[in-house]
Amino acid sequence: MTHDEYVDYIRTRFSDLFDPTNTEDSWQYLITIGPGWWALLTDFCEQLEGVLKHHDEVGRWYIRQVKEKMGELRIYTRPAPFERPDVDGFMEWIDDIDPPEPSPAAEMIGIVKQQVIGRAAHTCEQCGDPGEMRVLGGWYWTCCDRHFQEWQGRKASQ
Ligand SMILES: [Zn+2]
């Protein structure tokens, strides 16, 4: 499965979890993690869907971005825009306040998010094998021994 195919799968299978006003451009950058973490994200989406159904909040929370940062999995979820009409101007500013307001659903979202982030910290982002955070020349990556060796090889030949 290519990255585009995976994104299409998530977008179709979990359409309730994403803002329907997302543009094709925003979808280009919405999910940028490596294939080794795709299964973790799929799990997260299933759990998030369950939490939202349980709290009757389907359509009130959206996944805004899924990316790797400093070697860690980052998942940003936001209340749907109609809940916070001023949110667009503050997207950057509130990046790390997540979720912004306490509620039973927000609390559960935070818990399932931390669980999946914890699993990602021990999962190679490239292949999904057991791995850990590595640092090379100031860059961070969570990967297995094999992909760490490949990475070192690529760095050495640059
Ligand atoms: Zn690997």
Side-chain angles (χ1 to χ4, degrees):
M1 189 184 270
T2 66
H3 186 265
D4 284 350
E5 286 166 348
Y6 176 70
V7 173
D8 276 349
Y9 163 75
I10 287 290
R11 191 178 168 175
T12 308
R13 165 77 177 75
F14 300 103
S15 56
D16 285 347
L17 302 182
F18 296 94
D19 189 339
T21 68
N22 282 337
T23 63
E24 291 306 312
D25 263 6
S26 58
W27 270 105
Q28 291 285 314
Y29 304 101
L30 211 146
I31 298 171
T32 54
I33 52 172
W37 285 354
W38 290 349
L40 296 177
L41 177 60
T42 306
D43 272 5
F44 174 76
C45 289
E46 278 173 5
Q47 292 187 63
L48 178 59
E49 193 172 53
V51 168
L52 296 182
K53 279 182 180 157
H54 179 75
H55 291 280
D56 198 21
E57 294 202 6
V58 174
R60 295 183 63 186
W61 292 84
Y62 293 136
I63 296 172
R64 287 291 174 192
Q65 199 179 21
V66 183
K67 66 179 182 182
E68 175 273 335
K69 188 173 181 183
M70 303 289 283
E72 295 175 345
L73 173 63
R74 302 288 173 94
I75 299 174
Y76 300 105
T77 47
R78 301 269 178 269
F82 60 83
E83 293 289 312
R84 289 171 65 93
D86 63 332
V87 79
D88 279 348
F90 292 93
M91 281 299 282
E92 288 300 314
W93 191 72
I94 64 170
D95 215 28
D96 288 317
I97 305 172
D98 190 19
E101 285 160 22
S103 75
E107 199 172 308
M108 274 311 297
I109 293 168
I111 290 169
V112 297
K113 192 184 294 182
Q114 286 312 313
Q115 284 171 350
V116 76
I117 287 170
R119 288 165 64 198
H122 302 287
T123 304
C124 176
E125 190 189 353
Q126 188 63 42
C127 70
D129 281 353
E132 60 183 301
M133 172 95 73
R134 322 283 183 148
V135 188
L136 198 58
W139 293 88
Y140 295 76
W141 194 31
T142 297
C143 60
C144 65
D145 290 342
R146 184 165 60 92
H147 283 110
F148 186 45
Q149 283 169 13
E150 283 189 20
W151 189 30
Q152 287 172 310
R154 281 201 307 278
K155 281 277 177 193
S157 67
Q158 277 172 3

